Amino acid sequence: MGVFYGIQCAFIILLICVLDLGRSVLYPSIQWTPHNPIFAANRTQCVLPMSKLIFVCPNTATIVTRLNDTSGLDPHYENLWLVSRRNYERCEVNKSSDRKLIPCDMPFTLKYYTAIFKRYSASNDPVFKPGQDYYFIATSDGSQSSINSISGGHCKAYNMKLKFHVCTSNEDPRCQSDELCNGVAQPAQAHTTGARTANPPTTATTSTTQRIGNTSYTNYTLPITRISHPDDPENEKEILFKESTYHITIGFLVSMCFLLLIISVISVYRLHQKKKANSSSSRDSASFNIRLNDSPDGSWD
């Protein structure tokens, strides 16, 4: 019975995970190459729980910045490590505690790693708890022989590392602060009183010039756009309707799981009773045969 109960609990958790993944946010991909201007900014990336983000390995068909010559099209080999804060600051890897997420060893093929910021995992995937910080670095210098390097590399030379903060929710104060976070997490819709005004989005861009090897790159940071959300009753109704539908669906699935659990318990009980009856019948038959064999003439008189 305990085994069946465990199966049912795992089934419920699996359903909730699937539904959460279906509602998860997918952030713009990050090109995991030192040419990416995101490393020059070195700002904390804030993400929501159960969201997804794809790290794209460098490949010769993907250009992230304007090149002053074509030597930047040479194949680059990178690695992606999930490390501790200490190793993030030192650009080092501890193989006993840190983990390599993907070796970028195919520069002529599209290869990527999908990070899912989930709070629990039934497999060997990393777990990202809300409210915690996580650190990613690259220790390769771009050459094929450095793919397994555990220190230095582009992390040290070009600041090729990122810090991620997993928000507790849309209303996490840290994820709404421009000073502490880059605002990747979508801000919660603000509720205001009085007349509604639609403020236009503001976009800020900066550019830097970076030199990697013998090649110069003009890097433009990705624009950060802030959009003010008006207090729209129709949008609020739609959000409430979606949330209600989601909760009703969860309740229905959980109820079905409990119903399945009850049916399983009844089935196990009936199977146990049937086996008990068969065992009793077998013992009676064996006893009859013994008594029959003990009779001198094989008959009961």
Side-chain angles (χ1 to χ4, degrees):
M1 184 179 298
V3 175
F4 278 89
Y5 180 74
I7 293 174
Q8 302 308 318
C9 291
F11 184 59
I12 294 174
I13 294 175
L14 178 61
L15 287 176
I16 295 176
C17 290
V18 171
L19 290 174
D20 279 342
L21 288 175
R23 301 171 69 246
S24 63
V25 176
L26 179 62
Y27 292 111
S29 302
I30 292 180
Q31 301 293 328
W32 196 243
T33 168
H35 307 160
N36 193 335
I38 194 174
F39 300 115
N42 193 25
R43 302 192 65 188
T44 301
Q45 311 295 307
C46 292
V47 294
L48 293 172
M50 301 304 298
S51 60
K52 302 178 184 178
L53 189 145
I54 298 175
F55 292 88
V56 182
C57 289
N59 61 85
T60 55
T62 303
I63 311 300
V64 297
T65 56
R66 187 179 67 187
L67 304 179
N68 294 334
D69 58 66
T70 58
S71 61
L73 296 178
D74 295 338
H76 281 77
Y77 298 84
E78 299 290 347
N79 50 33
L80 176 62
W81 292 89
L82 178 63
V83 300
S84 64
R85 178 179 178 178
R86 177 181 178 274
N87 291 338
Y88 168 84
E89 294 172 347
R90 298 188 177 190
C91 289
E92 297 176 353
V93 171
N94 184 341
K95 287 189 175 182
S96 62
S97 58
D98 303 330
R99 60 188 301 173
K100 182 188 288 187
L101 300 178
I102 185 174
C104 294
D105 53 0
M106 303 173 64
F108 302 102
T109 304
L110 179 61
K111 189 175 182 179
Y112 57 89
Y113 175 82
T114 302
I116 304 177
F117 297 93
K118 50 190 175 181
R119 65 195 75 182
Y120 40 74
S121 174
S123 61
N124 195 32
D125 294 333
V127 174
F128 301 90
K129 298 181 180 180
Q132 301 295 320
D133 296 331
Y134 296 91
Y135 306 90
F136 298 80
I137 69 172
T139 53
S140 169
D141 61 10
S143 63
Q144 188 172 8
S145 60
S146 66
I147 196 79
N148 294 318
S149 175
I150 58 174
S151 64
H154 285 155
C155 176
K156 197 75 170 180
Y158 300 106
N159 201 45
M160 192 172 169
K161 55 184 180 179
L162 288 175
K163 174 184 175 181
F164 281 80
H165 175 74
V166 182
C167 307
T168 55
S169 67
N170 272 338
E171 300 177 355
D172 189 336
R174 176 171 180 175
C175 297
Q176 306 307 318
S177 172
D178 289 334
E179 296 180 359
L180 300 176
C181 183
N182 68 348
V184 168
Q186 182 179 358
Q189 182 173 338
H191 295 277
T192 60
T193 58
R196 290 182 296 162
T197 58
N199 298 327
T202 58
T203 303
T205 60
T206 58
S207 63
T208 59
T209 301
Q210 183 179 11
R211 189 172 187 85
I212 299 179
N214 298 321
T215 307
S216 296
Y217 303 90
T218 301
N219 297 337
Y220 297 90
T221 61
L222 300 179
I224 300 174
T225 304
R226 303 285 183 235
I227 301 177
S228 298
H229 296 277
D231 185 17
D232 192 341
E234 295 298 327
N235 290 339
E236 185 176 356
K237 290 180 180 179
E238 183 179 356
I239 293 173
L240 290 176
F241 175 76
K242 289 182 178 180
E243 290 294 329
S244 299
T245 303
Y246 173 73
H247 291 147
I248 291 173
T249 303
I250 288 291
F252 174 76
L253 291 174
V254 171
S255 300
M256 293 299 296
C257 288
F258 276 112
L259 179 61
L260 184 59
L261 173 62
I262 294 173
I263 294 175
S264 299
V265 171
I266 294 175
S267 299
V268 170
Y269 176 76
R270 289 183 175 179
L271 181 61
H272 176 71
Q273 292 297 324
K274 185 177 180 180
K275 288 184 177 179
K276 186 176 180 181
N278 291 338
S279 177
S280 177
S281 177
S282 298
R283 287 197 300 268
D284 292 343
S285 178
S287 176
F288 177 79
N289 290 333
I290 292 173
R291 294 174 61 188
L292 185 61
N293 292 334
D294 289 343
S295 178
D297 56 356
S299 62
W300 295 93
D301 292 332

